[in-house]
Amino acid sequence: MNFEDLNLNTPLYNALDDLGFTTPTPIQEQAFNVVNSGKDMVGIAQTGTGKTFAYMLPIIKNLKYSTQEEPRVLVLVPTRELVVQVVDEIEKLSKYINNRVLGVYGGTNINTQKQAVAQGIDILVATPGRLYDLALSRVLQLKSIQKLVIDEVDVMLDLGFRHQLINIFDILPSRRQNIMFSATMTQDVDALISDFFKSPQRVSIAISGTPLDNISQTRYNVPNFYTKVNLLEHLLYDTETFNRVLIFVAYKRMADRLFEKLDETFHDELCVIHSNKTQNYRLRSIEQFRNGDNRILIATDVMARGLDIDNVSHVINFDTPLYAENYMHRIGRTGRAEREGKSMVFSTKAEQESIEGIETLMNMEIPLLEIPMAVKISTELIEEERPKIKERNNPIKRKDEDAPGPAFHEKSKKNSKENLGGSYKFKIAAKYKKPKTRGDKNYNKRNKRK
Ligand code: AMP
């Protein structure tokens, strides 16, 4: 199949020609007719499969020229980076069309965005929080939205946007087309679909857990952090092979720590992104990596999801992701648009279980490589790797031998009297033959019966 079969229009064909794209990717092929028909759709596709064009080609094809100010197409994405990227993709497609496209996201001046909104828009790309704020301010009118696209639904729900999405659904016209994309099918995604969408048509090119064929995967067993650093440095010295390397770590502190270590050797070639870095810092880092100024980018999972960078030669999983899906997301950053890509994963003993989880999900074994001889095996451990030292005199946690036992002295006679409970009262009463109190109904009852 080629783009001619999709019956597009001349401006779109010209834009695709300029981009040098000749054939639709599988998700573009499959999603086109569904989106074109106006039905609700759920697309299961990883980033890098061409999913942005999969929904944008039919949407732009059907979007008539208009001078109205209110947007007619709304694209919701989880991160600021993705806003920038999707706007960029739409602009590439709209090169020969008069489309007004705007991207809005939090963390930047809302007043500037209000002014931009007031200029009139056709397609609005937004993160949920900022979109809702703009809608509440009444500068942004959503009553003309005909098509809602939610991209990376799984990430969205992961980041806790469910409530914000529901609030947005409430203020959108009920007659609209819903188009969703998710890289993985999770219970949360399923629940959202069944709660809010009318029997959407499912389109999927890769079931969750199916890695792209064009990504070759390998793994190393590495004893600890510092040995991982040594191995990584050893690999990175080969600048020809490792020419654009995306390194994943699970959390911010680890990203900073690894950055500090690698900075000693690869100072001019290195950048880092995680959610504690400012928006500007992150955008600059991504740009430097994208345009080749920096060869190495260190990123956390959430920050790197949705990153669209071509020609990533290697994805290196510096740690083994706990969730197998994250591994799928990570390696999907290489081998984009059907190019060849390579991924590597470093695992310590403690991470072997996660490797098993990943291999089970993919239903394949990741080939294991030997650590090259030249790599120094370190015995030094970082804080997280050291065995946890138990506090000796922890007043809260007593060892069993310290547990309080029975008292060491005999009880005095007075205190060792047997507790006779309620019956004691009656024994005394019987002994003295008269009620202890005037109101002792039981005594009276018993005496009556006699
Ligand atoms: P996406 O999955 O939407 O993030 O797209 C991944 C990359 O593939 C982007 O850089 C697109 O510009 C590119 N791309 C999209 N469609 C095609 C196509 N039909 N042929 C080649 N590259 C494409």
Side-chain angles (χ1 to χ4, degrees), residues 382-391:
I382 55 166
E383 197 186 313
E384 289 93 323
E385 290 168 342
R386 283 182 215 134
K388 304 257 175 312
I389 300 163
K390 288 198 185 90
E391 240 181 279

Side-chain angles (χ1 to χ4, degrees), residues 3 21 23 25 28 47-52 89 308 310 336-337:
F3 282 120
F21 299 168
T23 42
T25 63
Q28 288 164 3
T47 306
T49 53
K51 67 190 165 73
T52 318
E89 291 272 287
D308 175 28
D310 283 339
R336 296 168 71 76

Side-chain angles (χ1 to χ4, degrees), residues 300-355:
T300 54
D301 288 298
V302 173
M303 274 307 113
R305 278 184 175 191
L307 260 191
D308 175 28
I309 293 166
D310 283 339
N311 296 333
V312 170
S313 67
H314 293 78
V315 162
I316 299 185
N317 297 273
F318 187 78
D319 52 26
T320 309
L322 193 58
Y323 298 101
E325 280 83 5
N326 284 350
Y327 178 81
M328 307 304 300
H329 280 291
R330 288 176 174 193
I331 67 168
R333 302 303 108 172
T334 183
R336 296 168 71 76
E338 296 179 9
R339 289 195 191 92
E340 290 289 308
K342 289 195 168 58
S343 95
M344 297 178 167
V345 54
F346 296 176
S347 338
T348 60
K349 220 173 194 169
E351 291 173 320
Q352 290 306 314
E353 214 173 298
S354 304
I355 282 288

Side-chain angles (χ1 to χ4, degrees), residues 227-293:
T227 313
K228 283 184 178 182
V229 173
N230 295 345
L231 172 61
L232 187 58
E233 284 177 349
H234 174 83
L235 297 170
L236 291 175
Y237 282 133
D238 180 356
T239 51
E240 212 167 287
T241 314
F242 290 79
N243 55 59
R244 191 166 296 180
V245 187
L246 184 52
I247 303 172
F248 278 99
V249 292
Y251 50 97
K252 296 168 218 166
R253 202 149 70 95
M254 188 61 94
D256 282 333
R257 190 187 273 150
L258 183 60
F259 181 81
E260 270 168 38
K261 281 303 296 172
L262 292 185
D263 199 42
E264 294 164 14
T265 322
F266 302 100
H267 180 70
D268 294 331
E269 307 175 274
L270 187 65
C271 44
V272 60
I273 50 167
H274 59 63
S275 56
N276 266 10
K277 298 283 180 197
T278 63
Q279 166 80 6
N280 282 342
Y281 184 96
R282 280 171 2 210
L283 287 177
R284 198 172 56 237
S285 293
I286 291 168
E287 207 36 52
Q288 284 170 349
F289 184 62
R290 193 195 303 272
N291 65 25
D293 285 347

Side-chain angles (χ1 to χ4, degrees), residues 140-175:
L140 176 65
Q141 294 288 333
L142 297 175
K143 59 176 192 281
S144 301
I145 296 292
Q146 299 158 356
K147 292 176 195 298
L148 168 70
V149 181
I150 315 177
D151 204 351
E152 307 229 336
V153 185
D154 47 352
V155 182
M156 235 6 125
L157 297 176
D158 236 30
L159 295 177
F161 286 153
R162 188 185 157 87
H163 275 289
Q164 283 175 342
L165 286 180
I166 294 169
N167 286 340
I168 292 168
F169 296 161
D170 269 353
I171 51 173
L172 289 177
S174 54
R175 265 177 63 91

